Amino acid sequence: MKFPRALGACTRNWIWEAGLLLVVPLGFYRGFAEQFSAPKSFLTKSLIIVGLAVWALSGIGRPAFRRGRFSLGLSLLVFSFAALVSCLNSPVPRFSLLEVELALCGPAWVLLLVSWDEGESSVSRIAVLAGAAGALVAGIALLQRLGYDPLLLGGYRVNWGTMVARMRLYSTLGNPNFVGGYLIGAIFPALALAAVSRARWAKGLWWCLAVVMVAAIVETGSRGAWFGLAAGLAVAGAIVLHKSSSRAEVRQPGGRASSNLLGFVAPVWSWPAALLILTLTERLAAQFRGRVYLWCFSWPIFTEHPILGSGWGTYQLLYLEFQGKFLAAHPDYVGYWTNNRLLHNDPLQLLLEAGLLGFGALVWVLWEYGRQARRVLRQAAGSWARYGIAASAGGVTAILTDSLFNFQFAVPPTFILLFTLLAFPMLLQGNDAEEGGEGQPAPTVPARQSPWLRAVKLASSLAILAAAGGLLWQQARVLASERTYQAATVLEDHNNLGDAEATYRHSVDLNPLNGRAHFGLSRVCYLSGRFPEALQEVVLAEQTYTDSHQEVLRARILDRLEMDEEALAAYRHALWLDPTLTTVQGDIERLSNAP
């Protein structure tokens, strides 16, 4: 019995869409130091790698998608190229190549979507998955708000310490800001489904799920998410109301007069609204001073490599040094000292790490997206296309607005959701009537192929499989290194130094670029009295991981090796990196007064 081609394509689409849009947002594992980001990143990269392999194997000898459908293709290719080229300026290019992998998953996912899907049915299916995932994430957050945390399975306990109450609303993303940033994108597909659903139960269900998401967004206390949601609703509302008002004017002779009357009355109500927004903005400005401080001391990174950037992912390696320089010149800002490894402003961080080339490529992507969305709106015949574009534009606007205050691009579910929404106009451009939505020509009798052509196809297939297998093996080793690192920290906390050292070494063997594992190994060697070996591990750790306490450890090792001048310089450098350190003052005075 021959397997139906359309059924196989539908199953393939469901696997990847459900995996990236439903499973990834909900995935977590307590066995990692990064309990939420590590599993999500691994699942995202693995699904994209396998998807690209399937796409490449199926595309050997035939086009993968119709010409003209992939309107964002060139701009996304330039964006990917800029991200890769920026790694050449990195102080550790191999580290930047590892960091850039997630960024490349976005354009790759758009390629897979456009190649495999098209039409309103595909957009509707994707909207259902995104809306369902958002509702589950929001529901978990609200349960945590009520004091019941469904993620504390098997007696797991979280030491909240002095953290504020809103930090308990971490859902499956690990941080309330991440939860709010994800939900402001996921709510728009749910709202579109609520608007176009014909069945009353479906309409009521999606409206209820949207209300749940709004409640979770409010409870997270993420002001950036609130601004993003407001901006997204304004854009989506403008798209829907503009189209509706145009049709009303055509149908009713008095439509334009009523529109002019509305335009006259609206400014009357806009003045109190503007005053309220201004007051709220002034109150929130005080909360964003910390963000402005981050942006101020980070800006000089751009001047060193303005065209190609400093290298993808290198901000976390550079920020302490530039913060130290800023505080040395502006000591009155010491109270704002921070240990944030991300900039809380994705466009600015993109400019610093990928330069004008990468930033310009992203602007080009958004420009092409806007052109494609307007083209689909002009040609739209049904309501679903209009609401689909409204959901896409609203979600993209909300995520990008929030990215001005938080780091959206570093959260895999939000990053994938952003590029999924960017693909909506290209999917809506297709026609479901073409062979079950696949957009491929009717099958014909294959022509006879020469042995040489068959050999080339076979070699290409084997090369694709080998490349995909190698990439998956690398991802598995990185994930295993993270898991082993977490096990080593537990052993170190229990003062089991021998097993901790062996486990740290295993983590380093799996991923030599795991700076935290090198740092942990240096601590164990220091406690064991092997100071030269500990110093060597600190040097290796500094290549891919920066921390003021790491500099303190270097100073103490040098102190034990009786290298007084070097130890004094390291102690001072640690205090320069972190003016809040209080443990090194006595050591600095002791070494400064030494004969």
Short mmCIF file of all heavy atoms in Angstrom, two decimals, residues 119-157:
data_model
loop_
_atom_site.label_atom_id
_atom_site.label_comp_id
_atom_site.label_asym_id
_atom_site.label_seq_id
_atom_site.Cartn_x
_atom_site.Cartn_y
_atom_site.Cartn_z
N GLY A 119 -1.17 28.85 2.85
CA GLY A 119 -2.61 28.97 2.91
C GLY A 119 -3.13 29.24 4.31
O GLY A 119 -2.43 29.16 5.31
N GLU A 120 -4.41 29.56 4.36
CA GLU A 120 -5.05 29.93 5.62
C GLU A 120 -5.13 28.77 6.59
O GLU A 120 -5.07 28.97 7.80
CB GLU A 120 -6.45 30.48 5.34
CG GLU A 120 -6.44 31.79 4.56
CD GLU A 120 -7.84 32.33 4.33
OE1 GLU A 120 -8.80 31.66 4.79
OE2 GLU A 120 -7.98 33.40 3.71
N SER A 121 -5.26 27.54 6.08
CA SER A 121 -5.34 26.40 6.98
C SER A 121 -4.05 26.21 7.76
O SER A 121 -4.06 25.84 8.94
CB SER A 121 -5.67 25.13 6.19
OG SER A 121 -4.64 24.84 5.26
N SER A 122 -2.91 26.47 7.12
CA SER A 122 -1.62 26.35 7.81
C SER A 122 -1.49 27.42 8.88
O SER A 122 -1.04 27.15 10.01
CB SER A 122 -0.47 26.47 6.80
OG SER A 122 -0.51 25.42 5.86
N VAL A 123 -1.86 28.65 8.55
CA VAL A 123 -1.78 29.74 9.52
C VAL A 123 -2.72 29.47 10.69
O VAL A 123 -2.38 29.71 11.86
CB VAL A 123 -2.10 31.09 8.85
CG1 VAL A 123 -2.14 32.20 9.87
CG2 VAL A 123 -1.07 31.39 7.78
N SER A 124 -3.90 28.94 10.39
CA SER A 124 -4.85 28.62 11.47
C SER A 124 -4.29 27.54 12.39
O SER A 124 -4.41 27.63 13.61
CB SER A 124 -6.17 28.15 10.85
OG SER A 124 -7.08 27.76 11.85
N ARG A 125 -3.66 26.52 11.81
CA ARG A 125 -3.07 25.45 12.63
C ARG A 125 -1.95 25.99 13.51
O ARG A 125 -1.84 25.66 14.70
CB ARG A 125 -2.54 24.35 11.72
CG ARG A 125 -1.95 23.17 12.46
CD ARG A 125 -1.54 22.06 11.51
NE ARG A 125 -0.46 22.46 10.64
CZ ARG A 125 -0.58 22.62 9.32
NH1 ARG A 125 -1.75 22.43 8.72
NH2 ARG A 125 0.46 23.00 8.59
N ILE A 126 -1.11 26.84 12.94
CA ILE A 126 -0.02 27.43 13.71
C ILE A 126 -0.57 28.32 14.82
O ILE A 126 -0.06 28.34 15.95
CB ILE A 126 0.91 28.22 12.77
CG1 ILE A 126 1.65 27.25 11.83
CG2 ILE A 126 1.90 29.06 13.55
CD1 ILE A 126 2.42 27.95 10.73
N ALA A 127 -1.62 29.08 14.51
CA ALA A 127 -2.22 29.95 15.51
C ALA A 127 -2.80 29.13 16.68
O ALA A 127 -2.68 29.53 17.84
CB ALA A 127 -3.32 30.80 14.88
N VAL A 128 -3.39 27.98 16.38
CA VAL A 128 -3.92 27.12 17.44
C VAL A 128 -2.80 26.64 18.35
O VAL A 128 -2.92 26.67 19.59
CB VAL A 128 -4.68 25.93 16.83
CG1 VAL A 128 -4.99 24.88 17.90
CG2 VAL A 128 -5.97 26.39 16.17
N LEU A 129 -1.69 26.20 17.77
CA LEU A 129 -0.57 25.72 18.58
C LEU A 129 0.03 26.84 19.43
O LEU A 129 0.31 26.65 20.62
CB LEU A 129 0.50 25.12 17.67
CG LEU A 129 0.12 23.81 16.97
CD1 LEU A 129 1.17 23.44 15.93
CD2 LEU A 129 -0.03 22.68 17.98
N ALA A 130 0.24 28.01 18.82
CA ALA A 130 0.81 29.13 19.57
C ALA A 130 -0.13 29.60 20.66
O ALA A 130 0.30 29.89 21.80
CB ALA A 130 1.14 30.28 18.61
N GLY A 131 -1.43 29.67 20.35
CA GLY A 131 -2.39 30.09 21.36
C GLY A 131 -2.51 29.10 22.50
O GLY A 131 -2.61 29.49 23.67
N ALA A 132 -2.48 27.80 22.17
CA ALA A 132 -2.57 26.78 23.22
C ALA A 132 -1.34 26.82 24.12
O ALA A 132 -1.45 26.71 25.35
CB ALA A 132 -2.73 25.40 22.58
N ALA A 133 -0.16 26.96 23.52
CA ALA A 133 1.06 27.05 24.33
C ALA A 133 1.03 28.27 25.23
O ALA A 133 1.39 28.20 26.41
CB ALA A 133 2.29 27.08 23.41
N GLY A 134 0.59 29.41 24.69
CA GLY A 134 0.50 30.61 25.51
C GLY A 134 -0.47 30.45 26.67
O GLY A 134 -0.21 30.90 27.79
N ALA A 135 -1.61 29.79 26.41
CA ALA A 135 -2.58 29.58 27.47
C ALA A 135 -2.03 28.67 28.56
O ALA A 135 -2.26 28.91 29.76
CB ALA A 135 -3.86 28.98 26.88
N LEU A 136 -1.29 27.64 28.18
CA LEU A 136 -0.70 26.75 29.19
C LEU A 136 0.36 27.47 30.01
O LEU A 136 0.41 27.33 31.24
CB LEU A 136 -0.08 25.53 28.49
CG LEU A 136 -1.09 24.54 27.89
CD1 LEU A 136 -0.37 23.49 27.06
CD2 LEU A 136 -1.92 23.88 28.98
N VAL A 137 1.21 28.24 29.36
CA VAL A 137 2.23 29.01 30.08
C VAL A 137 1.56 30.00 31.03
O VAL A 137 1.98 30.15 32.19
CB VAL A 137 3.15 29.74 29.08
CG1 VAL A 137 4.07 30.72 29.81
CG2 VAL A 137 4.00 28.73 28.30
N ALA A 138 0.52 30.68 30.55
CA ALA A 138 -0.19 31.65 31.40
C ALA A 138 -0.90 30.96 32.55
O ALA A 138 -0.89 31.46 33.68
CB ALA A 138 -1.19 32.43 30.55
N GLY A 139 -1.51 29.81 32.28
CA GLY A 139 -2.20 29.10 33.34
C GLY A 139 -1.26 28.66 34.45
O GLY A 139 -1.59 28.77 35.65
N ILE A 140 -0.08 28.17 34.10
CA ILE A 140 0.91 27.78 35.10
C ILE A 140 1.34 28.99 35.93
O ILE A 140 1.48 28.91 37.16
CB ILE A 140 2.11 27.10 34.43
CG1 ILE A 140 1.68 25.77 33.80
CG2 ILE A 140 3.25 26.88 35.42
CD1 ILE A 140 2.75 25.11 32.96
N ALA A 141 1.54 30.13 35.27
CA ALA A 141 1.95 31.34 35.98
C ALA A 141 0.87 31.78 36.98
O ALA A 141 1.18 32.19 38.10
CB ALA A 141 2.24 32.46 35.00
N LEU A 142 -0.40 31.69 36.58
CA LEU A 142 -1.47 32.10 37.49
C LEU A 142 -1.59 31.12 38.66
O LEU A 142 -1.90 31.54 39.79
CB LEU A 142 -2.79 32.18 36.73
CG LEU A 142 -2.88 33.32 35.69
CD1 LEU A 142 -4.22 33.29 34.99
CD2 LEU A 142 -2.66 34.68 36.36
N LEU A 143 -1.37 29.83 38.42
CA LEU A 143 -1.37 28.88 39.52
C LEU A 143 -0.24 29.20 40.51
O LEU A 143 -0.42 29.11 41.73
CB LEU A 143 -1.22 27.46 38.98
CG LEU A 143 -2.45 26.85 38.29
CD1 LEU A 143 -2.10 25.48 37.71
CD2 LEU A 143 -3.61 26.74 39.26
N GLN A 144 0.92 29.58 39.98
CA GLN A 144 2.02 29.97 40.86
C GLN A 144 1.66 31.23 41.63
O GLN A 144 2.07 31.39 42.79
CB GLN A 144 3.28 30.19 40.01
CG GLN A 144 3.83 28.91 39.40
CD GLN A 144 4.91 29.16 38.37
OE1 GLN A 144 5.00 30.24 37.78
NE2 GLN A 144 5.75 28.17 38.14
N ARG A 145 0.92 32.13 41.01
CA ARG A 145 0.47 33.34 41.70
C ARG A 145 -0.46 33.00 42.87
O ARG A 145 -0.45 33.67 43.91
CB ARG A 145 -0.25 34.27 40.71
CG ARG A 145 -0.89 35.49 41.33
CD ARG A 145 0.17 36.42 41.91
NE ARG A 145 -0.42 37.62 42.47
CZ ARG A 145 -0.95 37.72 43.69
NH1 ARG A 145 -0.96 36.65 44.48
NH2 ARG A 145 -1.48 38.85 44.11
N LEU A 146 -1.24 31.93 42.73
CA LEU A 146 -2.16 31.52 43.77
C LEU A 146 -1.50 30.68 44.85
O LEU A 146 -2.16 30.24 45.79
CB LEU A 146 -3.33 30.73 43.15
CG LEU A 146 -4.23 31.53 42.18
CD1 LEU A 146 -5.25 30.61 41.54
CD2 LEU A 146 -4.91 32.69 42.90
N GLY A 147 -0.19 30.42 44.69
CA GLY A 147 0.53 29.67 45.70
C GLY A 147 0.72 28.20 45.41
O GLY A 147 1.34 27.49 46.21
N TYR A 148 0.22 27.72 44.27
CA TYR A 148 0.40 26.31 43.91
C TYR A 148 1.29 26.26 42.68
O TYR A 148 0.91 26.74 41.60
CB TYR A 148 -0.94 25.64 43.63
CG TYR A 148 -0.78 24.21 43.15
CD1 TYR A 148 -0.43 23.20 44.03
CD2 TYR A 148 -0.98 23.89 41.81
CE1 TYR A 148 -0.27 21.90 43.60
CE2 TYR A 148 -0.82 22.59 41.37
CZ TYR A 148 -0.48 21.60 42.26
OH TYR A 148 -0.31 20.31 41.83
N ASP A 149 2.46 25.68 42.83
CA ASP A 149 3.42 25.60 41.73
C ASP A 149 3.44 24.18 41.18
O ASP A 149 4.00 23.27 41.77
CB ASP A 149 4.83 25.98 42.22
CG ASP A 149 5.80 26.19 41.07
OD1 ASP A 149 5.47 25.76 39.94
OD2 ASP A 149 6.86 26.77 41.28
N PRO A 150 2.82 23.95 40.00
CA PRO A 150 2.81 22.59 39.44
C PRO A 150 4.17 22.12 38.96
O PRO A 150 4.31 20.94 38.62
CB PRO A 150 1.81 22.72 38.27
CG PRO A 150 1.85 24.16 37.90
CD PRO A 150 2.10 24.91 39.16
N LEU A 151 5.16 23.01 38.91
CA LEU A 151 6.49 22.62 38.45
C LEU A 151 7.36 22.06 39.56
O LEU A 151 8.46 21.56 39.29
CB LEU A 151 7.20 23.81 37.80
CG LEU A 151 6.95 24.00 36.29
CD1 LEU A 151 5.48 24.25 36.01
CD2 LEU A 151 7.79 25.15 35.75
N LEU A 152 6.91 22.16 40.79
CA LEU A 152 7.68 21.61 41.91
C LEU A 152 7.31 20.13 42.08
O LEU A 152 6.60 19.74 43.00
CB LEU A 152 7.40 22.39 43.19
CG LEU A 152 7.79 23.88 43.16
CD1 LEU A 152 7.52 24.52 44.50
CD2 LEU A 152 9.26 24.03 42.78
N LEU A 153 7.81 19.34 41.15
CA LEU A 153 7.48 17.92 41.12
C LEU A 153 8.47 17.13 41.97
O LEU A 153 9.64 17.48 42.07
CB LEU A 153 7.51 17.41 39.68
CG LEU A 153 6.62 18.18 38.68
CD1 LEU A 153 6.82 17.64 37.28
CD2 LEU A 153 5.16 18.09 39.08
N GLY A 154 7.99 16.02 42.54
CA GLY A 154 8.88 15.12 43.27
C GLY A 154 9.52 15.74 44.50
O GLY A 154 10.61 15.35 44.89
N GLY A 155 8.86 16.72 45.11
CA GLY A 155 9.41 17.34 46.32
C GLY A 155 10.50 18.33 46.07
O GLY A 155 11.22 18.72 47.01
N TYR A 156 10.67 18.81 44.82
CA TYR A 156 11.71 19.80 44.52
C TYR A 156 11.39 21.11 45.24
O TYR A 156 10.23 21.53 45.33
CB TYR A 156 11.79 20.02 43.02
CG TYR A 156 12.93 20.91 42.59
CD1 TYR A 156 14.19 20.38 42.34
CD2 TYR A 156 12.75 22.28 42.44
CE1 TYR A 156 15.24 21.19 41.95
CE2 TYR A 156 13.80 23.09 42.04
CZ TYR A 156 15.04 22.55 41.80
OH TYR A 156 16.08 23.35 41.42
N ARG A 157 12.42 21.76 45.76
CA ARG A 157 12.25 23.01 46.49
C ARG A 157 13.09 24.11 45.86
O ARG A 157 14.18 23.87 45.35
CB ARG A 157 12.66 22.83 47.96
CG ARG A 157 11.75 21.90 48.74
CD ARG A 157 10.38 22.52 48.95
NE ARG A 157 9.50 21.65 49.72
CZ ARG A 157 8.66 20.79 49.18
NH1 ARG A 157 8.60 20.65 47.86
NH2 ARG A 157 7.88 20.04 49.94
#
